[in-house]
Amino acid sequence: MTWGWPHLAVLALGSYALKVTGLLALGSRELSARITRLLALLPAALFGALIVISAFGDERSLVFDARTAGLAVAGLAVWRRANFVVVVVAAAAATATVRALS
Amino acid sequence: MPPTPRDVRRAAITLGAAVGVFGISLGVVATGAGLSVPMVCAFSIFVFTGATQFATVSVLASGGTPIAAIASGLLLGARHVGYGLALHRLLPASRRKRLLAAQFLIDESTAMATAQEDPALAEGAFWWGGLSVFVCWNLGTLLGAAFGDSLGDPGDLGLDAVFPAAFLALLVPHLRRLDGRFAAVAGAAIALALGSFTPPGVPIITAGIGALLAARLVRAEDPPTGDAA
């Protein structure tokens, strides 16, 4: 199955539903502190996983390849407090260089 | 000197410009993942949440099914429920305005509105932040998609490395807190454990358990707010 317009519609409606829930649907009710905290922590956990999979994932296995160099350079750039453009461009350049050389 | 509406507008425009560059990178990698230019532009107009869009495209690029990609994107978007609650008092009560405001409820507009000490400025900060980012994000996406579509093999240019780099940059603000660091490490560990045998997308969705573990095992340092990343 490949990505198509119906998939986009589902994602767009789902995203909007999440946005409208707190703003409108819940009224002035408050969520419990535990739920609010969990919602705030979800991105951190997912970003951690997304980094691992997008840097090392290869179908159903984990590999070290040119992307590893890109991630290392991105880590260095983030540590040096480089801005977003520098982080992303440096990562792509490092990966492209390693690929060209190997 | 307290900020004026003019300061708020200026901050919103600066923020929009920065996010626009992020939009360019999304456009490039999304077309690199095989999505058409109109599809990528529609993504930014209708989904309009950078993290969700990047996650969805990343799962697709790694060979995940559309269902896995949508699930990952929506799980990442769940934080907006908290944002909506945080903004509940700051936005006008009108139902129609709220239905419209929901589309512009993002990390940046939430951060700008909740950062105002003067509640009178909060609503303006929300709209200016949201609209400025919306315009710049979509222009950036269009530029990036048009450019990405004309590029050769995305692998030769190292574009696949944009994903981990972007996710790392998005993660950094969460690392200021102990529970955020715990959740990130737990999520990464879950992905490492599952990545070698489960279908693409599954490790990402399962990593949500990392947030549950962090919430259970790490004591909250300060009261959680609807604070943006």
Side-chain angles (χ1 to χ4, degrees):
Chain A
M1 192 168 49
T2 55
W3 182 268
W5 290 100
H7 297 116
L8 178 73
V10 171
L11 181 62
L13 287 173
S15 299
Y16 183 79
L18 289 168
K19 291 176 172 187
V20 100
T21 299
L23 215 47
L24 204 64
L26 288 173
S28 52
R29 265 174 288 173
E30 301 252 331
L31 288 182
S32 76
R34 273 173 61 190
I35 302 275
T36 314
R37 183 158 176 242
L38 182 64
L39 290 174
L41 286 170
L42 265 177
L46 263 61
F47 288 142
L50 282 160
I51 292 169
V52 166
I53 297 300
S54 60
F56 307 112
D58 183 22
E59 291 293 317
R60 295 191 188 203
S61 61
L62 296 172
V63 296
F64 287 102
D65 60 19
R67 288 170 301 171
T68 313
L71 179 61
V73 169
L76 195 67
V78 162
W79 180 59
R80 298 304 304 264
R81 296 175 187 275
N83 78 16
F84 178 79
V85 190
V86 176
V87 173
V88 164
V89 171
T95 297
T97 307
V98 170
R99 278 210 184 109
L101 295 177
S102 55
Chain B
M1 212 168 56
T4 63
R6 192 157 164 243
D7 294 331
V8 168
R9 287 198 291 274
R10 192 174 297 162
I13 290 166
T14 314
L15 186 64
V19 174
V21 181
F22 193 31
I24 295 178
S25 59
L26 175 84
V28 172
V29 294
T31 46
L35 300 180
S36 70
V37 176
M39 172 69 83
V40 176
C41 290
F43 232 104
S44 281
I45 293 170
F46 297 112
V47 180
F48 189 47
T49 4
T52 291
Q53 292 178 244
F54 255 102
T56 308
V57 173
S58 166
V59 171
L60 288 176
S62 68
T65 63
I67 303 297
I70 290 171
S72 308
L74 290 181
L75 207 49
L76 207 44
R79 68 188 188 286
H80 291 103
V81 177
Y83 292 179
L85 289 169
L87 290 179
H88 202 271
R89 288 171 300 109
L90 299 173
L91 292 180
S94 145
R95 196 181 161 80
R96 269 169 59 192
K97 275 195 183 162
R98 280 178 185 250
L99 285 172
L100 181 67
Q103 181 63 4
F104 300 99
L105 182 74
I106 49 169
D107 293 332
E108 290 81 1
S109 55
T110 306
M112 281 205 56
T114 52
Q116 304 306 321
E117 284 179 26
D118 177 4
L121 284 177
E123 193 195 341
F126 173 83
W127 288 109
W128 274 95
L131 286 167
S132 163
V133 169
F134 186 81
V135 170
C136 297
W137 176 249
N138 280 289
L139 281 176
T141 305
L142 175 64
L143 261 175
F147 177 66
D149 209 34
S150 68
L151 289 175
D153 181 358
D156 286 347
L157 296 162
L159 291 185
D160 44 351
V162 166
F163 288 112
F167 293 130
L168 184 62
L170 286 167
L171 174 63
V172 168
H174 295 276
L175 300 179
R176 284 191 212 117
R177 291 168 53 127
L178 178 63
D179 51 4
R181 290 194 289 276
F182 187 100
V185 171
I190 290 168
L192 273 177
L194 296 181
S196 54
F197 66 93
T198 58
V202 172
I204 311 293
I205 301 161
T206 316
I209 294 172
L212 270 173
L213 290 174
R216 279 213 81 119
L217 301 176
V218 184
R219 191 195 293 255
E221 287 167 60
D222 37 63
T225 58
D227 208 2

